[in-house]
Amino acid sequence: MDFSATDTIAALATPTGTSALALVRVSGLACRDLAKEIFRRESPALPERRAMHGLYHGVDGRVLDDLVWTFFPGPKTSTGEDVLELTPHGNPLIVQLILADLFARGCRAAEPGEFTRRAFLAGRIELTQAEAVMDLIHARSERALAAAQRQLQGALGRHLEGLIERVLEALARIEAYIDFPDEDLPPEDRGQVVDRIADVLRGTNRLLATHRYGDLLREGLKTVLLGVPNVGKSSLLNALVGRERALVSAEPGTTRDFLEEPMQIGPHLLRLIDTAGLNSTPGEIERLGIEKSLERLAEADLVLWVVDCTQPLPELPAETAPYLRPDNTLLVLNKADLLPAPPLLGSLLPQVYVSARTGAGLEELRAAIVARADSFAPALAAEEQLAVNARHADALRRAEASLQAALDGLRAAPPSPIELVSADLRAAMDALGEIAGRIDNERMLDSLFATFCIGK
Ligand code: GDP
């Protein structure tokens, strides 16, 4: 991607469509002059950080809108540059005219994520915070929002900073001896270095352990719905989700073999997967469906097996047995309103007795689902509750490998040369630094920011 840092960029930051107001963001060196020309400011001083009311004059002198504008002087802005924010009326036509006018005045359309990228390049935020901006915009549950907010406030960056510091301390201890090849690292120093590295390894381990939770927050709890027809799966879903279903938007452009629907349950996002193919005794034709269902089951974070409590427990294909465990499966006994008391079922799976019709037991079911999702949260204090993404996890794994190599080298008999240990520690430091963006890798930045939306 060909980004030029000197261009002044402009983009609509709000969704296209009709609304009360829209927000057009402009960032770059030309903002000051643009504001003066567009709003016909005579005096050389431009009001700063103050919402101003004015008429937007196009290059041809035509008034395009009557709007509120704010000029933010760099570098303490969202991009680190001068920023001009315009809030025209939310008519797509007005927005189009204004953007066309800004382009005619020399601005360029911003690439996806370019505002955030500039903030990163200007050192306003580090990479984990840039990613948090993305997570924040796309978060679809309260837990995901909270994790993104913590990351945006720099919690992950500070955590990594602490780890890097420890590696540096270890490095400093051994590098003092590099210049004296005849001297061995004194056992006392060796012990301290080993302790520090082991400490950092525990830290990276703890962070890596948050990856699964991070996935869960970003993608939703993979919940597979099982059950033969007519047990009340649809009724149950509607009853369970009710009003909340509308809050979750469907993901565009995804085609799947299975009906897959994101929905909120309490503070969590569920990715509900309906495996229509999984019936009791399959015929030949149903085999394929079962194969696919088994794949979904293998990936499931939670299985909701819905049964009609007035009927005997249906037999499921034998291959499903390993996937239905007490720790990941809830046996949902529906139609409780038809029986005076819960039936006695020969199953070790935890059971919830509900009625989609009357709503009885739904709170219990909801709580059980939330508890399952919460069980993935790493055992950390709420304010330290981080959730690393795939990019972080990859770098953390590389850091771990290098740290382990350093540790093995120090513990070997005879110990590895200090130069080798030092090289391993440097590699670990680089990998950790990469997470915060301390690398010069255009391609990585391109692919990362390309996933952003325009105007962000
Ligand atoms: P699905 O095929 O598993 O999705 O089942 P449906 O949700 O379509 O329900 C099948 C039938 O069972 C419908 O006639 C529902 O009205 C009925 N049903 C669903 N849940 C309950 C319940 O809790 N109690 C009673 N009495 N009937 C229910």
Side-chain angles (χ1 to χ4, degrees):
M1 216 176 280
D2 184 24
F3 283 106
S4 171
T6 55
D7 290 348
T8 294
I9 53 172
L12 176 66
T14 40
T16 30
T18 305
S19 54
L21 294 172
L23 176 65
V24 172
R25 284 218 287 187
V26 192
S27 177
L29 284 173
C31 282
R32 193 179 284 273
D33 289 340
L34 281 170
K36 284 185 188 169
E37 287 162 21
I38 291 168
F39 300 106
R40 306 249 162 118
R41 307 286 304 181
E42 303 293 335
S43 66
L46 202 60
E48 297 180 349
R49 298 177 182 278
R50 259 176 58 204
M52 304 295 293
H53 181 219
L55 296 178
Y56 188 111
H57 293 87
V59 254
D60 56 3
R62 224 166 23 124
V63 171
L64 301 184
D65 199 11
D66 174 340
L67 51 71
V68 171
W69 60 274
T70 317
F71 173 72
F72 300 89
K76 291 201 165 169
T77 60
S78 50
T79 58
E81 308 171 326
D82 284 357
V83 168
L84 179 62
E85 286 189 1
L86 311 166
T87 41
H89 291 98
N91 176 341
L93 196 60
I94 297 178
V95 170
Q96 212 178 2
L97 286 172
I98 288 180
L99 282 175
D101 182 69
L102 289 167
F103 300 151
R105 291 174 187 270
C107 295
R108 162 169 75 69
E111 301 285 346
E114 197 172 2
F115 288 92
T116 315
R117 184 185 181 119
R118 287 188 173 195
F120 166 67
L121 292 176
R124 296 285 298 159
I125 53 173
E126 58 166 55
L127 214 49
T128 57
Q129 291 172 300
E131 288 168 312
V133 170
M134 249 294 263
D135 284 344
L136 198 63
I137 293 174
H138 295 290
R140 286 174 294 175
S141 71
E142 281 174 45
R143 292 277 197 276
L145 260 186
Q149 264 149 1
R150 272 190 299 275
Q151 192 172 316
L152 185 61
Q153 285 153 21
L156 179 56
R158 281 193 298 277
H159 204 88
L160 286 162
E161 217 37 67
L163 295 178
I164 291 175
E165 199 109 310
R166 309 285 288 164
V167 181
L168 260 175
E169 285 167 13
L171 253 176
R173 284 212 171 246
I174 61 167
E175 295 216 327
Y177 293 90
I178 285 187
D179 294 336
F180 307 100
D182 297 335
E183 284 186 39
D184 245 359
L185 193 61
E188 185 191 304
D189 279 8
R190 182 183 310 279
Q192 291 204 357
V193 173
V194 164
D195 285 351
R196 289 225 158 78
I197 300 176
D199 195 35
V200 180
L201 260 174
R202 274 190 296 276
T204 51
N205 248 307
R206 269 202 300 272
L207 270 184
L208 258 177
T210 69
H211 182 207
R212 180 136 196 233
Y213 189 55
D215 256 7
L216 191 144
L217 291 179
R218 292 176 184 96
E219 306 293 328
L221 186 82
K222 285 198 212 85
T223 308
V224 166
L225 197 65
L226 284 187
V228 296
N230 273 324
V231 293
K233 293 190 296 298
S234 323
S235 315
L236 190 66
L237 274 185
N238 289 331
L240 192 62
V241 179
R243 181 181 56 83
E244 291 184 285
R245 180 192 293 244
L247 291 176
V248 181
S249 63
E251 207 126 289
T254 46
T255 43
R256 296 174 201 277
D257 300 331
F258 288 86
L259 178 73
E260 192 170 325
E261 198 174 352
M263 56 176 65
Q264 281 180 327
I265 299 276
H268 287 288
L269 175 72
L270 251 62
R271 186 160 287 272
L272 208 74
I273 305 153
D274 196 357
T275 60
L278 201 57
N279 287 350
S280 35
T281 30
E284 277 307 305
I285 313 143
E286 287 159 325
R287 294 300 325 167
L288 192 67
I290 292 195
E291 290 301 315
K292 294 201 165 181
S293 299
L294 287 174
E295 284 170 26
R296 295 305 179 283
L297 272 180
E299 294 171 357
D301 298 315
L302 170 66
V303 182
L304 294 178
W305 180 13
V306 187
V307 300
D308 179 339
C309 71
T310 64
Q311 305 291 318
L313 197 62
E315 293 265 330
L316 288 177
E319 304 96 299
T320 60
Y323 302 115
L324 306 179
R325 303 180 314 267
D327 70 321
N328 76 343
T329 306
L330 268 181
L331 187 51
V332 184
L333 311 173
N334 190 32
K335 309 199 184 180
D337 53 296
L338 299 178
L339 278 189
L344 287 172
L345 291 176
S347 171
L348 295 173
L349 300 172
Q351 303 171 14
V352 201
Y353 188 49
V354 303
S355 166
R357 179 155 295 173
T358 66
L362 287 185
E363 272 321 301
E364 208 186 329
L365 175 57
R366 201 184 289 263
I369 294 173
V370 171
R372 173 67 186 159
D374 275 336
S375 74
F376 287 93
L380 292 169
E383 63 280 6
E384 289 178 52
Q385 201 65 262
L386 299 165
V388 302
N389 66 23
R391 187 183 73 82
H392 308 152
D394 171 60
L396 283 169
R397 281 191 205 101
R398 278 183 283 123
E400 284 203 338
S402 299
L403 290 166
Q404 194 58 55
L407 212 49
D408 293 346
L410 285 166
R411 284 173 171 160
S416 306
I418 292 173
E419 290 86 341
L420 288 186
V421 176
S422 152
D424 283 332
L425 290 181
R426 286 188 178 279
M429 227 168 57
D430 287 348
L432 293 174
E434 217 180 279
I435 300 178
R438 287 202 208 143
I439 39 153
D440 193 21
N441 185 339
E442 276 296 306
R443 284 237 316 274
M444 194 274 282
L445 293 181
D446 278 351
S447 68
L448 197 145
F449 285 103
T451 58
F452 276 54
C453 27
I454 293 183
K456 198 60 225 176

